[in-house]
Amino acid sequence: MSDYPKVETDPRLEQKMKNAIHRDRWTDHFFRRVLHVIERFIAVLTILGLISCLVAEVYEAVVNPEYLTDAGHMLHNLLTIVVGLEFVRMLIDTTPANILEVLTVAITRHVILSHDDPWSNVACIACIAGLFAIRRFLVPKSELKEEMVEIE
């Protein structure tokens, strides 16, 4: 037998504990749902903003023929839109693989567009290599397979 005395539990106390647990679960579910809805709303607003930016870029290219001669400015704007689209994708489906993709695209955009000193480019390339290593060794293979199936 056990050395511990048998403790009688109060049925009212047990009911209060069950109610508190239920209330905590409901509150947790409610806040998760509200946050999910807010994330979707922000994603929709971001998509609308990105579409308007893309329309403005196309309009500027059609109206102003000299616009296409400034490739740096055009590339800057278009790659910013691409980073925004990756951000929306991350908001909609927050997985480690998507987060790593957003970071990779953002850093790559910085390397392509910036004309900083060479050490800054080396640091960015090292960051990209680190992100690929993280993706290769730390992201579960099942998540990567799911992502590849969704793309096809």
Side-chain angles (χ1 to χ4, degrees):
M1 285 212 110
S2 174
D3 293 337
Y4 298 108
K6 189 171 184 177
V7 178
E8 294 292 325
T9 56
D10 185 10
R12 292 178 294 174
L13 182 61
E14 284 183 16
Q15 186 60 37
K16 285 183 180 182
M17 288 177 59
K18 286 180 183 177
N19 289 343
I21 291 170
H22 176 72
R23 188 172 46 250
D24 286 347
R25 286 183 185 157
W26 184 87
T27 304
D28 186 50
H29 177 73
F30 173 76
F31 282 120
R32 286 182 190 270
R33 194 60 147 152
V34 167
L35 290 174
H36 185 71
V37 168
I38 291 171
E39 284 177 349
R40 298 291 171 135
F41 179 71
I42 290 172
V44 168
L45 288 179
T46 305
I47 287 174
L48 292 175
L50 291 171
I51 289 172
S52 67
C53 288
L54 185 60
V55 167
E57 284 297 310
V58 170
Y59 176 77
E60 186 68 28
V62 170
V63 171
N64 185 5
E66 295 172 3
Y67 179 76
L68 296 176
T69 60
D70 186 13
H73 180 71
M74 183 183 66
L75 193 59
H76 171 77
N77 292 342
L78 292 177
L79 289 178
T80 301
I81 293 170
V82 169
V83 170
L85 291 173
E86 286 292 325
F87 175 72
V88 169
R89 185 171 154 208
M90 183 190 70
L91 277 177
I92 291 172
D93 185 26
T94 307
T95 62
N98 283 344
I99 293 169
L100 291 173
E101 277 188 41
V102 170
L103 291 173
T104 303
V105 169
I107 294 171
T108 304
R109 175 193 171 276
H110 177 74
V111 169
I112 291 171
L113 295 179
S114 72
H115 301 291
D116 296 336
D117 61 318
W119 290 110
S120 173
N121 289 338
V122 169
C124 289
I125 291 169
C127 288
I128 293 171
L131 290 172
F132 279 121
I134 289 170
R135 183 179 172 122
R136 169 77 170 99
F137 296 112
L138 297 179
V139 175
K141 301 240 185 262
S142 62
E143 184 177 307
L144 294 176
K145 287 180 183 175
E146 287 176 12
E147 181 180 303
M148 298 305 278
V149 170
E150 289 177 2
I151 291 173
E152 294 176 355

